[in-house]
Amino acid sequence: MLSRWSGSFQIAAVYVGTVVGAGFATGKEIVEFFTRYGFYGFIGILIAGYIFIFTGTKIMLISARIRASSYEEFNQFLFGKKIAGIINFFFLIMLLGVTAVMISGSGAVFEEQLGVPKSIGSWSTIILASLVLMMGMRGVFTVNSFVVPIMICFSVILFFSTLGNVDFFKTLTKVPDEVITVKMILSPFAYTAFNLALAQAVLVPVAYEVRDEKVIKHGAILGGIFLTIILLTGHFSLMTLPDVNRYEIPSAVIMRTAASQLYWMFILVIYGEIFTSVIGNIYGLQRQISSYIKLPSILIIAVIFLIALIISEFGYGRLLGYIYPVFGYISLLFLVLVWKSKAGKE
């Protein structure tokens, strides 16, 4: 029983660690999709949480049942072999673009919070991630099992640190001046679609290796619940920060004010969150490219990092603002097909 729950926790940790990246960890992503919409954003998070729990579980159960070892095989099942090649190429570009955002985000942490050149942060991430990825899936499990519990604890600490600073319920129920738009309504669906489409690069091979459906189901549900908690506590904290849209790393600004004694530890947690997403994305990319190009894994990883590093030079905030929403909307089709699939039903 203990080994089963241990396995479920590892799956949950990988699920959370893959989804939580630069925008999520720093608060920028939560602001972009939810906090800017006030009370409507709170409702959006509840919807997103349900989708993470339900759809994440279904993706992993489908993967286990069809014996898909990579997201390429999973998408062949969803979209059919005729167009799966185009879809898989699209997801490869998605993973590469988001990895660039993560690397840029790691540089932003070093530059904005530590006063260290951005390039040092980016290169440190690349070197550390390469060492972890040389261990394969075991390295991905180990890093996520360590970072994710700490991340959840700090999310809760940040929330309680800001709770007494404002009229919580008044701020929570505040309705924005702007009228309800299509973008606002689609926000939780676009956000979860985007993140789940990317997370399949890790969730699919994890489910393939574990195979025990009870462990997979419990792990996916637990991971979805953890993601919901982190989203809610992050939103509750961020809504207390005036002009939240103007900060690259708003969650660190809140921690510096509300719990300054934990500030530097929190910066390390933010970096750890970004790092887990980097290794998850690169792991998925490396597995996909290796099926087409027979080169040493470390060489493929090096080339991926080099391309992502070049893209990251465009700037973290700009990349986040354009790449995330566009990829989110396009990934809606992926979300719908997962929902329609009968393979993941009980």
Side-chain angles (χ1 to χ4, degrees):
M1 178 63 72
L2 182 61
S3 61
R4 274 193 165 184
W5 277 109
S6 175
S8 296
F9 174 77
Q10 286 187 320
I11 290 174
V14 170
Y15 186 6
V16 174
T18 303
V19 171
V20 173
F24 199 132
T26 61
K28 190 77 172 178
E29 189 176 299
I30 299 176
V31 172
E32 180 75 25
F33 283 91
F34 302 109
T35 306
R36 63 187 295 188
Y37 300 126
F39 180 70
Y40 301 138
F42 169 67
I43 300 299
I45 288 174
L46 297 180
I47 295 171
Y50 175 77
I51 295 173
F52 273 132
I53 294 169
F54 172 77
T55 312
T57 302
K58 194 167 184 180
I59 288 172
M60 298 193 75
L61 287 177
I62 292 172
S63 301
R65 290 171 184 175
I66 67 173
R67 303 292 295 276
S69 61
S70 68
Y71 74 85
E72 178 184 20
E73 295 176 12
F74 186 82
N75 285 331
Q76 284 179 355
F77 172 79
L78 277 188
F79 296 93
K81 289 187 177 181
K82 290 185 178 180
I83 64 171
I86 299 172
I87 297 298
N88 284 324
F89 177 75
F90 166 71
F91 281 137
L92 186 148
I93 297 300
M94 283 177 64
L95 283 167
L96 188 58
V98 173
T99 300
V101 172
M102 301 305 161
I103 293 174
S104 183
S106 68
V109 171
F110 275 68
E111 184 177 53
E112 186 173 314
Q113 303 302 318
L114 304 178
V116 176
K118 183 178 178 181
S119 59
I120 293 179
S122 298
W123 278 107
S124 297
T125 302
I126 290 171
I127 293 169
L128 288 172
S130 297
L131 293 174
V132 171
L133 289 165
M134 289 174 67
M135 299 169 61
M137 181 61 77
R138 183 164 59 92
V140 176
F141 269 130
T142 301
V143 170
N144 280 284
S145 296
F146 175 73
V147 173
V148 169
I150 299 173
M151 172 181 57
I152 295 170
C153 288
F154 266 82
S155 297
V156 175
I157 289 171
L158 188 62
F159 164 60
F160 281 108
S161 296
T162 59
L163 190 59
N165 296 343
V166 295
D167 188 337
F168 177 76
F169 290 103
K170 182 179 179 180
T171 307
L172 174 64
T173 56
K174 183 179 180 181
V175 176
D177 295 332
E178 62 180 298
V179 297
I180 297 177
T181 62
V182 174
K183 183 178 180 181
M184 188 186 299
I185 295 171
L186 290 178
S187 187
F189 301 97
Y191 173 76
T192 50
F194 169 80
N195 279 290
L196 287 167
L198 293 177
Q200 67 164 320
V202 177
L203 298 183
V204 171
V206 165
Y208 176 80
E209 292 192 17
V210 174
R211 298 189 184 182
D212 187 323
E213 289 197 7
K214 286 188 177 180
V215 173
I216 291 170
K217 184 177 179 181
H218 292 157
I221 292 173
L222 190 61
I225 292 171
F226 285 159
L227 285 169
T228 306
I229 292 171
I230 297 169
L231 272 174
L232 283 172
T233 53
H235 170 70
F236 293 154
S237 301
L238 291 165
M239 69 185 189
T240 67
L241 182 63
D243 299 322
V244 67
N245 288 300
R246 70 186 183 92
Y247 295 102
E248 287 277 313
I249 308 180
S251 57
V253 176
I254 294 172
M255 180 59 80
R256 182 190 291 166
T257 304
S260 57
Q261 67 275 18
L262 297 174
Y263 174 72
W264 294 110
M265 192 178 293
F266 185 63
I267 294 300
L268 290 176
V269 171
I270 288 179
Y271 181 77
E273 294 171 4
I274 294 172
F275 187 75
T276 58
S277 193
V278 168
I279 61 175
N281 289 342
I282 296 295
Y283 179 79
L285 278 168
Q286 184 268 318
R287 283 189 65 130
Q288 177 69 6
I289 295 172
S290 294
S291 65
Y292 296 109
I293 303 173
K294 301 304 178 183
L295 290 173
S297 296
I298 190 63
L299 182 59
I300 295 174
I301 290 169
V303 172
I304 293 170
F305 271 128
L306 179 61
I307 295 172
L309 186 63
I310 293 171
I311 296 173
S312 71
E313 292 301 315
F314 286 104
Y316 167 48
R318 189 187 308 171
L319 282 169
L320 183 66
Y322 288 103
I323 291 178
Y324 276 40
V326 172
F327 281 169
Y329 297 138
I330 297 174
S331 298
L332 284 170
L333 176 60
F334 169 82
L335 198 66
V336 171
L337 290 177
V338 171
W339 287 345
K340 289 179 62 178
S341 175
K342 296 180 180 180
K345 293 182 178 180
E346 294 296 324

